[in-house]
Amino acid sequence: MPAEMTRALMTATGTPLALGCAAIPTPGPGEILIRVAACGVCHSDLHIVDGDWGAPPKLPLVPGHEVVGAVVSHGAGVRGPAVGATVGVAWNGGACGHCRACLEGEETICAEAEGTGYSRDGGYADYIVARADFVVELPKDVNAARFAPVLCAGVTTYRGLKRAQLRPGAFVAVIGCGGLGQMAVQYARAMGYRPIAVDLDPAKLELATRLGAMAVVQAGSGDLPQQLKGIAGEAGLRAAIVVAPAPSAFTQAIAAISPGGAVIFIALPAKDRDSLPVSISALANFEKRLIGSNVGTRADLLEAVELALTAGILSEVETLPLAEANAALERLRQGGVPGRLVLTP
Ligand code: ZN
Ligand code: ZN
């Protein structure tokens, strides 16, 4: 094994990542060293690099939290996965394990939750160290680049849909058809729902149709809540999963869902995300439900991976070498990327 690796390092917010060499990290107790095969570029990476979120990440930081790779070595006390196993590393990189949230199986809201590529170094590198108990084992022959987005975009949309507790056949609007939206469409289909894709970009809607959307609506082409209600008809729009980072998308989603329906809050707008006008009577009288959903627990991850493998859920991706990390982030910043950009060392 070489002694050094390449990695893209964030040293301050709002500055490009610095591509350079570093010593390959050593796994501590309970940790494993993984050779990265692919790492998806998530919109959250852009928010972290641009400093859009209130809480800053650890610095310096290697971003990236959609990682597929092979286990190279174990730290002390690790029982598995075995050296050589293919594993996935997700955002949920650690939790305390003993607080109330952890005991109730809600480790993503643990006060000590660790974020891969945020409070721990992530996968924009040749190697990554992860807590062994927080990785998921994958089949050896998995398509690393096309499967990597399951580790964030997939589990995040899966958990959101799961939390809405819908019946089979439910119409679900997927608002925003970028990396998360294309996963939401596929998970909605795999879970027995009828997804309606919404986006400004016709190319993204075309992709959503190929991935299983039953209908599409081009945002900005009319009154979105009315358009969605029209498609759902008497069955009603039972849920809307909002993965477009625009506050107006949430307002429209609340207006569009049927009584008893759910809006799943996932996207984090860069601006104006601390308040939202909402009709109290819509919630009280019509029992509309607003559901926050934050990535996923290890149990959600396992289910999301198993469902992806069973249903053949993969992401449409464009692979780029790790050296292009800044270019990939810039393309996300400009928008209009259909599918997911994935870095390969
Ligand atoms: Zn992500
Ligand atoms: Zn905890």
Side-chain angles (χ1 to χ4, degrees), residues 94-103 106-107 109-113:
C96 80
H98 53 75
C99 72
R100 188 86 190 196
C102 284
L103 292 179
E106 301 293 345
E107 60 201 8
I109 52 172
C110 169
E112 292 174 34

Side-chain angles (χ1 to χ4, degrees), residues 1 7-8 25 61 65 71 100-101 134 156 159 182-183 192 220 273 304-305 309 316 320 330:
M1 199 173 98
R7 49 104 175 93
L61 172 76
H65 57 268
V71 180
R100 188 86 190 196
F134 282 78
T156 300
R159 174 179 170 84
Q182 62 161 297
M183 278 287 162
R273 63 170 179 271
V305 164
L309 293 170
E316 296 283 316
L320 299 166
E330 184 53 34

Side-chain angles (χ1 to χ4, degrees), residues 37-39 66-69 86 141-149 151 342 344:
C39 181
E66 280 184 352
V67 186
V68 174
T86 300
D141 60 351
V142 77
N143 182 325
R146 295 196 64 197
F147 200 85
L151 279 313
V342 176
T344 50

Side-chain angles (χ1 to χ4, degrees), residues 285-299:
N285 293 338
F286 298 102
E287 300 195 341
K288 292 187 176 184
R289 298 173 293 142
L290 309 187
I291 300 174
S293 195
N294 178 9
V295 200
T297 64
R298 282 174 283 179

